[in-house]
């Protein structure tokens, strides 16, 4: 499948370059003469006019007269101005292409440079846009493989934590209970403290396993998983409210997992970095899909650059063709919005 897809992409890219902007007669701006012929024609016209003047009745005296020098200087100035105008107009698309290349981001797909200008510039811009299409497709495929491998590893670690570490701690807790029943009065308090520490460690292991492998998502569905997620983060001064109605449109398993992981990462960022005391998780139906909103009343993003958490959310959104926006919330704080299409 990967080889066939790559060959189709190459044929489509070659077709776009071959057809080029100059073959589309309905777009007037893409039927311009090439930059070479523009500059050559202008220079040729200036030289022809100069030769005609020299071969005609116009002569240059020795020493040169003031009027003759003025005519020569005016002609030279006009020729230089025309050359500068042609070069400025012809090279403007290349400047726009340079700005588009400097701001291109594969995690924000869809942005393309406008195809305009002389034939060479238009062909170069078309080739660049085709290259972006291929890179975005390859990035999405690579991200999909990486995230699938990550989810498999999460499941493996969660299973080992639950089946091995969790059972070991449970056995230790039962053994400590038997020791506490037989221990002298002076040691019972220390044994009780060891029991509480073991019980806290067991709870932490279970919490980590739930975060690594959202079993509630597989068993009860997305709505219940988001409600449970909001409850898990409602602690340590942070209150998380949820608005997750029923009757949502059907979604693929990948879409549900991406929605859950984006909500999880958004709440994790809120709890760790936002210094917020209130957050909310909303899931609502939109045309052809759903929209997830994670909002907090913290200090917002400010001038900070996007970290690994937000980049990970963008990669997940790219995997399913969703639209992710991260920005300021009304009244302060941060909004994370994810728009996902329905089942296809």
């Amino acid at each position: 499948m990967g080889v066939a897809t790559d060959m189709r992409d190459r044929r489509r890219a070659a077709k776009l370059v071959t057809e080029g902007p100059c073959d589309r007669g309905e777009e007037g701006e893409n039927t311009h003469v090439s930059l070479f012929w523009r500059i050559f024609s202008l220079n040729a016209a200036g030289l022809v006019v100069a030769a005609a003047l020299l071969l005609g009745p116009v002569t240059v005296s020795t020493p040169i007269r003031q009027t003759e020098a003025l005519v020569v200087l005016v002609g030279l100035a006009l020729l230089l101005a025309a050359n500068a105008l042609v070069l400025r107009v012809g090279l403007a698309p290349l400047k726009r292409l340079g700005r588009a290349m400097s701001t291109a981001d594969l995690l924000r797909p869809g942005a393309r440079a406008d195809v305009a200008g002389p034939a060479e510039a238009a062909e170069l811009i078309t080739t660049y846009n085709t290259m972006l299409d291929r890179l975005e497709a390859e990035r999405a495929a690579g991200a999909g493989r990486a995230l699938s491998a990550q989810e498999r590893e999460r499941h493996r670690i969660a299973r080992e934590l639950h089946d091995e570490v969790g059972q070991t701690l449970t056995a230790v807790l039962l053994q400590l209970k038997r020791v506490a029943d037989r221990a002298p009065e002076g040691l019972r308090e220390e044994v009780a403290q060891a029991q509480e520490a073991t019980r806290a460690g067991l709870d932490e292991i279970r919490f980590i396993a739930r975060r690594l492998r959202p079993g509630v998502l597989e068993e009860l569905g997305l709505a219940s998983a988001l409600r449970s997620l909001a409850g898990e983060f409602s602690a340590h001064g942070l209150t998380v409210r949820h608005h997750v109605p029923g009757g949502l449109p059907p979604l693929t398993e990948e879409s549900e997992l991406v929605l859950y992981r984006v909500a999880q990462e958004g709440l994790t960022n809120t709890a760790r970095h936002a210094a917020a005391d209130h957050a909310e998780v909303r899931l609502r139906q939109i045309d052809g899909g759903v929209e997830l909103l994670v909002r907090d009343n913290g200090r917002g993003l400010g001038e900070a650059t996007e970290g690994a958490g937000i980049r990970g959310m963008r990669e997940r959104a790219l995997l399913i063709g969703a639209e992710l926006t991260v920005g300021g919330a009304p009244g302060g704080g941060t909004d994370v919005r994810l728009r996902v299409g329905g089942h296809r």
Side-chain angles (χ1 to χ4, degrees):
M1 288 297 292
V3 175
T5 303
D6 184 65
M7 291 299 295
R8 287 196 295 270
D9 290 339
R10 292 176 183 272
R11 288 196 294 268
R12 183 169 65 251
K15 184 178 179 182
L16 285 173
V17 173
T18 303
E19 292 179 352
C22 294
D23 296 335
R24 289 177 287 180
E26 68 274 12
E27 298 183 11
E29 65 176 4
N30 295 330
T31 58
H32 290 171
V33 180
S34 69
L35 183 60
F36 168 79
W37 285 110
R38 288 186 183 188
I39 298 175
F40 176 79
S41 301
L42 181 62
N43 287 330
L47 293 175
V48 169
V49 170
L53 291 176
L54 291 176
L55 295 176
V58 178
T59 59
V60 178
S61 304
T62 304
I64 190 170
R65 297 176 182 175
Q66 236 180 1
T67 55
E68 293 172 345
L70 181 61
V71 170
V72 172
L73 292 176
V74 170
L76 179 61
L78 291 176
L79 185 60
L80 291 175
N83 268 289
L85 179 62
V86 169
L87 289 175
R88 179 176 292 275
V89 173
L91 297 178
L94 297 182
K95 287 187 177 181
R96 291 196 297 269
L97 176 61
R99 289 194 296 268
M101 294 175 69
S102 64
T103 58
D105 187 354
L106 295 181
L107 293 180
R108 296 179 175 86
R112 296 292 181 270
D114 294 333
V115 180
E120 296 94 337
E123 184 175 354
L124 178 62
I125 296 173
T126 301
T127 304
Y128 168 73
N129 289 340
T130 304
M131 180 191 69
L132 274 187
D133 292 336
R134 185 173 67 253
L135 290 177
E136 288 179 0
E138 292 174 355
R139 176 64 181 267
R145 291 191 294 269
L147 292 176
S148 297
Q150 184 185 76
E151 288 298 329
R152 289 195 298 270
E153 188 66 12
R154 283 171 176 260
H155 286 193
R156 184 187 67 80
I157 295 174
R159 184 172 59 252
E160 291 181 357
L161 287 175
H162 182 273
D163 295 344
E164 297 181 13
V165 181
Q167 291 182 5
T168 300
L169 288 178
T170 301
V172 171
L173 193 61
L174 294 175
Q175 185 66 28
L176 285 174
K177 185 178 184 304
R178 287 194 292 268
V179 171
D181 293 338
R182 301 175 183 177
E185 188 67 28
L187 294 177
R188 288 185 180 179
E189 184 177 353
E190 295 181 9
V191 175
Q193 292 177 356
Q195 283 181 293
E196 291 301 321
T198 305
R199 187 176 292 108
L202 182 59
D203 292 339
E204 185 67 19
I205 289 294
R206 289 171 176 170
F207 175 73
I208 294 173
R210 285 197 304 270
R211 293 197 63 191
L212 288 172
R213 183 171 183 260
V216 64
L217 177 63
E218 300 174 358
E219 298 168 3
L220 302 179
L222 178 62
S224 298
L226 291 178
R227 297 188 190 106
S228 175
L229 187 65
E232 290 179 5
F233 279 89
S234 293
H236 307 294
L238 178 64
T239 301
V240 181
R241 296 184 179 180
H242 59 79
H243 306 274
V244 186
L248 295 172
L251 297 168
T252 62
E253 293 183 4
E254 292 82 3
S255 297
E256 289 188 348
L257 182 59
V258 168
L259 283 164
Y260 180 85
R261 290 300 188 196
V262 168
Q264 185 182 53
E265 185 62 37
L267 290 176
T268 299
N269 290 341
T270 297
R272 291 180 179 176
H273 310 297
D277 58 10
H278 176 78
E280 61 178 324
V281 178
R282 291 178 177 268
L283 188 66
R284 67 185 183 94
Q285 183 174 355
I286 58 174
D287 293 339
V290 297
E291 180 188 66
L292 172 71
L293 170 64
V294 181
R295 172 178 291 172
D296 64 61
N297 64 344
R299 57 191 174 194
L301 295 175
E303 299 297 328
T305 58
E306 293 187 355
I310 296 180
R311 289 197 299 271
M313 289 191 286
R314 293 195 184 281
E315 289 182 351
R316 290 183 181 276
L318 187 63
L319 173 63
I320 60 173
E323 178 185 354
L324 177 75
T325 57
V326 181
T334 304
D335 271 5
V336 177
R337 292 180 184 271
L338 180 68
R339 290 175 174 264
V340 181
H343 178 72
R344 290 184 291 271

